Amino acid sequence: MKIHHQNQSQRMPFAVLFVLLLPILSPHLFSPLSRSYPSLFSEWNAPKPRHLPLLKAALDRHVPVGEKNELWSPLPYQGWKPCIEPTTIHTLPTKSQGYIQVFLDGGLNQQRMGICDAVAVAKILNATLVIPHLEVNAVWQDTSSFADIFDVEHFIDTLSHDVAIVKEPPSEYSWSSREYYGTGIRATRIKTAPVHGSADWYLENVLPVLQSYGIAAIAPFSHRLAFDKLPTNIQRLRCKVNFHALAFVPHIRVLGDTLINRLRHPFGKFHTSGTEFLKERMNDTESEGSGKFVVLHLRFDKDMAAHSSCDFGGGKAERLALAKYRQVLWQGRVLNSQFTDEALRKQGRCPLTPEEIGLLLAALGFSNSTRLYLASHKASTVPSLLEIGKLYIYFRAHNLVYGGEKRISALKKLFPLMDDKKSLASAEELKKVDGKASLLAAVDYYVSLQSDIFISASPGNMHNALVGHRTYLNLKTIRPNMVMLGPLFLNKSMEWPEFQHAVLSGHKSRQGQIRLRKERQSIYTYPIPDCMCQS
């Protein structure tokens, strides 16, 4: 009898886990429950289009050849050129002050900015930089190292005349590791680096540690160097790192080139099954399909939808689900929740849904033959927070399109020639990057940088990084006018000609035109005048 009860108690956790996971593994089994418990299951139901009259008109749109040519034409030269060489001739110091280590968290683009800042700090201190350590992100669970993403030899060689860089600290400092700093308070770790710290702060607080111990580790290090009041040579060095030294490893570049080639010359589409794939002919001829493409960064995940506090048309169930998710994650610290949906939209604070970004693209003049590449795209119908009774299971759903593939159905109708990594490449080709968030992001960054036009539905680290990089290369980048679009989408009686006219007028100066960096703005988003000179 006792053994029987023991077996029952051992089986109980597995039974509970099975019950909790069953709605996720087989949601179709729960369709009757979705009517009985809308706060739990209706969030999985795809919302209907919110702007149906505009959508119908956009589906019937005709784009004149002249408008197409103007839209696709490259940016004219705007009088600025890359300018990263130091203003004075300099050499590396004969003696290094010691070794600098930094530990970088966040996603790929946040880490990228941290790497640039780390090189600048090493230069300020006349120190030797150890190749930065990339933390395992709690959300993505990606263990990729610097060397897994970036070409280390190219990085060191490009900066060889600016900063001394080593792959690992010397053997006498082998104890200075991430594990060492994670197990106690250490004299060589600087934990107090301020956000946007000045050069003087590093000279006053980090240099003495270097001189005493020969090595210093700075963690955390995200956004730890100011954008203002730094010498011109330090600013230019940050630009040199970002735009020249940080090259992706060869296999990322090869995969990126493969995707770009198939977007520009779409002979076929690939459907994968294991390592085998079937190549199917598409309807386009080579001449029709060859040429230009747009990269769209949707950035419509559940975190963003919940944090915005906006209404996305999913009804009461969706509003309740997002409110619950918001409360669990941010516990009442979301300021937007104090405002109505109408007020948020008028202030431009609501991320564009896939339907709305599709309408924007259509109004700008992109036709249904436009080749669209979705960056950072992964759709899922699984909710991120599942509530059963008083028990919560939390699924962090970063970069998943909130609402799944059905959420982007309107966008697909408007732009049927829409692809992402998995539709363009075989499983074998994706094997080295699949399941590794940083490497997947690197592929998308590479493709985005070489696209004819880039557009992001909402601001974020990838948007900011690519806006700056494409400005540096004088490439066309469309920035949605969120303040203008909010009221347009609130107006349910607006007809297509009026909507299109407003969109075109509101985006004439938002397609890559030069913007000078203002005080406190990021040098990585606004590289002028720090990284570029007038010619």
Side-chain angles (χ1 to χ4, degrees):
M1 193 71 170
K2 186 176 179 181
I3 293 172
H4 175 70
H5 282 300
Q6 255 184 346
N7 290 339
Q8 273 192 324
S9 62
Q10 287 173 350
R11 285 196 298 266
M12 186 61 70
F14 295 103
V16 170
L17 183 62
F18 176 76
V19 170
L20 294 177
L21 292 178
L22 191 57
I24 297 165
L25 300 174
S26 302
H28 61 281
L29 297 176
F30 289 80
S31 53
L33 285 176
S34 67
R35 291 189 289 272
S36 303
Y37 300 97
S39 64
L40 176 58
F41 294 102
S42 292
E43 190 192 2
W44 297 358
N45 296 337
K48 296 178 181 178
R50 301 192 74 190
H51 314 287
L52 198 54
L54 291 178
L55 183 59
K56 287 180 178 178
L59 288 170
D60 295 331
R61 70 196 184 280
H62 171 69
V63 183
V65 174
E67 284 184 23
K68 279 185 184 180
N69 292 338
E70 183 180 352
L71 181 63
W72 287 104
S73 62
L75 281 176
Y77 178 63
Q78 300 184 72
W80 292 81
K81 65 177 183 179
C83 199
I84 58 167
E85 294 307 318
T87 55
T88 56
I89 297 174
H90 67 287
T91 57
L92 290 178
T94 54
K95 183 183 178 184
S96 169
Q97 294 288 345
Y99 294 89
I100 283 288
Q101 292 176 296
V102 296
F103 301 95
L104 303 172
D105 53 17
L108 173 70
N109 294 296
Q110 187 174 333
Q111 289 171 337
R112 184 187 187 98
M113 296 170 197
I115 293 165
C116 299
D117 287 350
V119 173
V121 167
K123 183 68 175 178
I124 290 167
L125 298 173
N126 282 332
T128 299
L129 177 68
V130 179
I131 289 289
H133 174 89
L134 308 186
E135 300 276 30
V136 178
N137 188 279
V139 176
W140 296 279
Q141 290 297 314
D142 189 346
T143 59
S144 299
S145 68
F146 184 104
D148 292 327
I149 304 168
F150 300 108
D151 187 328
V152 175
E153 300 302 332
H154 175 81
F155 181 75
I156 294 174
D157 184 60
T158 303
L159 300 171
S160 60
H161 297 297
D162 302 285
V163 176
I165 303 173
V166 295
K167 296 177 183 178
E168 299 286 347
S171 57
E172 65 261 38
Y173 299 113
S174 59
W175 49 264
S176 185
S177 64
R178 190 66 189 90
E179 293 72 26
Y180 173 74
Y181 293 111
T183 55
I185 298 172
R186 309 297 184 185
T188 52
R189 178 184 175 184
I190 290 91
K191 297 178 67 175
T192 56
V195 173
H196 300 157
S198 66
D200 286 342
W201 187 92
Y202 285 92
L203 290 168
E204 293 166 8
N205 295 274
V206 181
L207 186 56
V209 176
L210 281 176
Q211 292 171 334
S212 297
Y213 298 96
I215 194 165
I218 311 174
F221 191 70
S222 295
H223 311 296
R224 301 293 153 168
L225 184 62
F227 292 122
D228 305 304
K229 298 178 182 177
L230 288 171
T232 300
N233 285 350
I234 295 297
Q235 296 289 66
R236 290 189 174 185
L237 179 57
R238 294 164 101 174
C239 306
K240 185 176 182 178
V241 180
N242 192 30
F243 303 132
H244 296 274
L246 285 175
F248 294 122
V249 292
H251 76 83
I252 288 177
R253 301 200 303 269
V254 168
L255 177 57
D257 287 334
T258 298
L259 299 178
I260 292 164
N261 186 54
R262 287 173 187 167
L263 285 163
R264 295 201 185 282
H265 309 283
F267 291 110
K269 215 167 191 177
F270 300 88
H271 300 278
T272 62
S273 174
T275 57
E276 298 180 357
F277 60 88
L278 172 67
K279 183 177 179 183
E280 296 180 347
R281 292 293 301 180
M282 297 179 72
N283 293 329
D284 339 12
T285 64
E286 182 184 352
S287 60
E288 289 170 336
S290 298
K292 305 179 186 299
F293 69 96
V294 180
V295 168
L296 169 61
H297 185 216
L298 269 180
R299 202 164 185 257
F300 192 75
D301 54 68
K302 188 167 186 179
D303 281 12
M304 171 168 278
H307 195 274
S308 72
S309 300
C310 300
D311 181 3
F312 298 105
K316 183 179 178 181
E318 183 177 87
R319 288 196 299 273
L320 288 173
L322 290 177
K324 174 69 75 176
Y325 187 79
R326 183 164 57 246
Q327 181 60 33
V328 171
L329 258 66
W330 295 288
Q331 285 141 32
R333 297 191 302 272
V334 178
L335 296 179
N336 278 5
S337 58
Q338 301 171 14
F339 299 94
T340 64
D341 177 72
E342 184 177 354
L344 291 170
R345 290 189 180 279
K346 286 180 177 178
Q347 295 169 32
R349 295 193 190 185
C350 294
L352 297 176
T353 65
E355 176 193 1
E356 289 168 346
I357 194 71
L359 290 171
L360 169 62
L361 289 170
L364 286 170
F366 293 103
S367 70
N368 60 5
S369 62
T370 297
R371 299 211 162 270
L372 206 61
Y373 176 86
L374 294 188
S376 299
H377 169 60
K378 188 177 180 185
S380 173
T381 54
V382 178
S384 297
L385 182 70
L386 185 62
E387 177 186 358
I388 299 183
K390 294 295 180 184
L391 183 63
Y392 300 97
I393 303 180
Y394 175 49
F395 298 91
R396 190 69 180 238
H398 191 85
N399 278 345
L400 306 186
V401 175
Y402 178 51
E405 290 289 352
K406 290 183 180 178
R407 174 74 78 172
I408 64 173
S409 59
L411 179 62
K412 282 186 173 180
K413 287 178 182 176
L414 289 167
F415 298 97
L417 303 182
M418 189 166 69
D419 281 296
D420 59 15
K421 291 179 288 295
K422 290 198 172 179
S423 66
L424 287 171
S426 69
E428 186 67 28
E429 289 169 319
L430 293 171
K431 186 167 63 176
K432 287 186 178 181
V433 300
D434 200 25
K436 299 175 182 177
S438 294
L439 301 187
L440 291 167
V443 172
D444 281 338
Y445 189 101
Y446 185 86
V447 174
S448 299
L449 193 60
Q450 299 190 53
S451 65
D452 298 281
I453 299 172
F454 174 79
I455 181 169
S456 183
S458 299
N461 285 329
M462 183 172 180
H463 165 90
N464 294 339
L466 279 163
V467 164
H469 208 152
R470 290 176 66 87
T471 297
Y472 186 76
L473 299 173
N474 199 43
L475 299 174
K476 187 170 282 190
T477 306
I478 298 174
R479 296 179 298 113
N481 189 337
M482 308 294 280
V483 175
M484 182 212 70
L485 289 169
L488 290 186
F489 286 125
L490 283 171
N491 187 345
K492 299 303 179 184
S493 63
M494 181 173 284
E495 296 185 353
W496 181 254
E498 185 184 358
F499 175 79
Q500 186 174 31
H501 176 74
V503 166
L504 289 171
S505 300
H507 289 84
K508 278 184 178 178
S509 61
R510 302 179 68 89
Q511 301 189 31
Q513 289 82 355
I514 291 298
R515 293 180 295 159
L516 296 180
R517 187 177 74 84
K518 298 176 183 177
E519 189 174 359
R520 301 183 69 180
Q521 286 184 330
S522 170
I523 192 175
Y524 307 118
T525 307
Y526 303 94
I528 300 173
D530 303 273
C531 308
M532 305 182 77
C533 305
Q534 282 184 299
S535 60

